[in-house]
Amino acid sequence: MKAVTNSVIKTAIIVLGGPNNNDGSLSLIAKSRCEQAYQTYLKMPAKILCTGGFGAHFNTTNHAHGEYTKRYLIELGIPEFAFLPVALSRFTFEDALLTKPLLAAENITAATLVSSEFHIARVHYVFSHVQPNLELTLVSAKTPLSEIKLAQLHAHERAVMPREVKNVQQFIALQSQKSR
């Protein structure tokens, strides 16, 4: 008789960071991502990994952006024990890079990526290359901004994709050199 193995898929919900104000209050972009992550958690409880450290373009306070999103998610009702350590990233590529060891430490093999609808394609591109063995699900948060602001954000995404492609190519080349 053949032995049956039951492989357990461990999942995390990764909440991509967004801007906060100088007092630590979350922007509409960050709040919409958190609210979508909360809804996702209610449907499928999992470990939560918040991203975001410090940077002139999104957080100039003394506390990591991911700590603000974690606090907001706890206020929404996610228990504190559900959280993994915050990935102290500054941009999307670092989100993928710095979440990798945190997920590996918990033997997590699948992740639901939560970001804004204008950002999710870039998130998917970067994560799928930096963590190719991670089973990915994408969840887009609707951003409550005007059409003009959303158009500006979509234009920004198109403008930064060449940089992400270059980052990914350099990462893959470096990984290839390390494996020799």
Side-chain angles (χ1 to χ4, degrees), residues 14 49 51 84-85 87 89 93-109 111 126-134 171-172 175 178:
I14 301 174
L49 199 166
T51 70
L84 295 174
S89 51
F93 186 79
E94 275 192 352
D95 289 333
L97 199 60
L98 297 179
T99 58
K100 190 174 183 174
L102 299 173
L103 297 172
E106 296 289 324
N107 297 312
I108 291 173
T109 56
V126 172
F127 271 81
S128 66
H129 286 86
V130 173
Q131 299 191 52
N133 296 325
L134 188 62
F171 174 78
I172 291 170
Q175 296 306 302
K178 286 182 179 178

Side-chain angles (χ1 to χ4, degrees), residues 156-169:
H156 170 76
E157 290 301 308
R158 288 189 299 276
V160 298
M161 272 308 289
R163 179 190 70 211
E164 297 295 15
V165 169
K166 183 178 177 184
N167 286 340
V168 164
Q169 289 171 341

Side-chain angles (χ1 to χ4, degrees), residues 113-153:
L113 304 174
V114 179
S115 193
S116 304
E117 77 280 13
F118 64 85
H119 185 232
I120 202 74
R122 177 160 54 119
V123 171
H124 182 248
Y125 175 79
V126 172
F127 271 81
S128 66
H129 286 86
V130 173
Q131 299 191 52
N133 296 325
L134 188 62
E135 181 183 319
L136 299 174
T137 301
L138 307 174
V139 177
S140 298
K142 183 162 176 41
T143 307
L145 297 176
S146 70
E147 290 298 317
I148 292 171
K149 292 278 188 195
L150 281 173
Q152 292 170 341
L153 292 167

Side-chain angles (χ1 to χ4, degrees), residues 2-3 12 19 27 29 32-33 83 98 116 120 123 128 152 174:
K2 187 176 180 183
S27 67
I29 291 171
S32 68
R33 292 176 185 182
F83 290 87
L98 297 179
S116 304
I120 202 74
V123 171
S128 66
Q152 292 170 341
L174 183 60

Side-chain angles (χ1 to χ4, degrees), residues 15-112:
V15 186
L16 280 289
N20 56 258
N21 298 319
N22 291 336
D23 64 358
S25 60
L26 297 178
S27 67
L28 290 174
I29 291 171
K31 281 184 177 180
S32 68
R33 292 176 185 182
C34 287
E35 289 159 7
Q36 184 62 61
Y38 175 68
Q39 292 303 316
T40 301
Y41 179 84
L42 290 178
K43 293 176 190 167
M44 180 198 67
K47 290 293 187 179
I48 305 286
L49 199 166
C50 299
T51 70
F54 305 92
H57 65 288
F58 72 99
N59 179 26
T60 58
T61 72
N62 293 325
H63 300 283
H65 172 77
E67 292 296 334
Y68 294 124
T69 58
K70 176 182 173 181
R71 183 176 63 203
Y72 188 75
L73 288 163
I74 290 170
E75 289 172 9
L76 289 174
I78 295 177
E80 192 158 354
F81 67 78
F83 290 87
L84 295 174
V86 170
L88 298 176
S89 51
R90 298 170 294 165
F91 43 84
T92 305
F93 186 79
E94 275 192 352
D95 289 333
L97 199 60
L98 297 179
T99 58
K100 190 174 183 174
L102 299 173
L103 297 172
E106 296 289 324
N107 297 312
I108 291 173
T109 56
T112 299

Side-chain angles (χ1 to χ4, degrees), residues 5-24:
T5 59
N6 184 11
S7 63
V8 176
I9 296 176
K10 289 187 73 177
T11 302
I13 299 169
I14 301 174
V15 186
L16 280 289
N20 56 258
N21 298 319
N22 291 336
D23 64 358

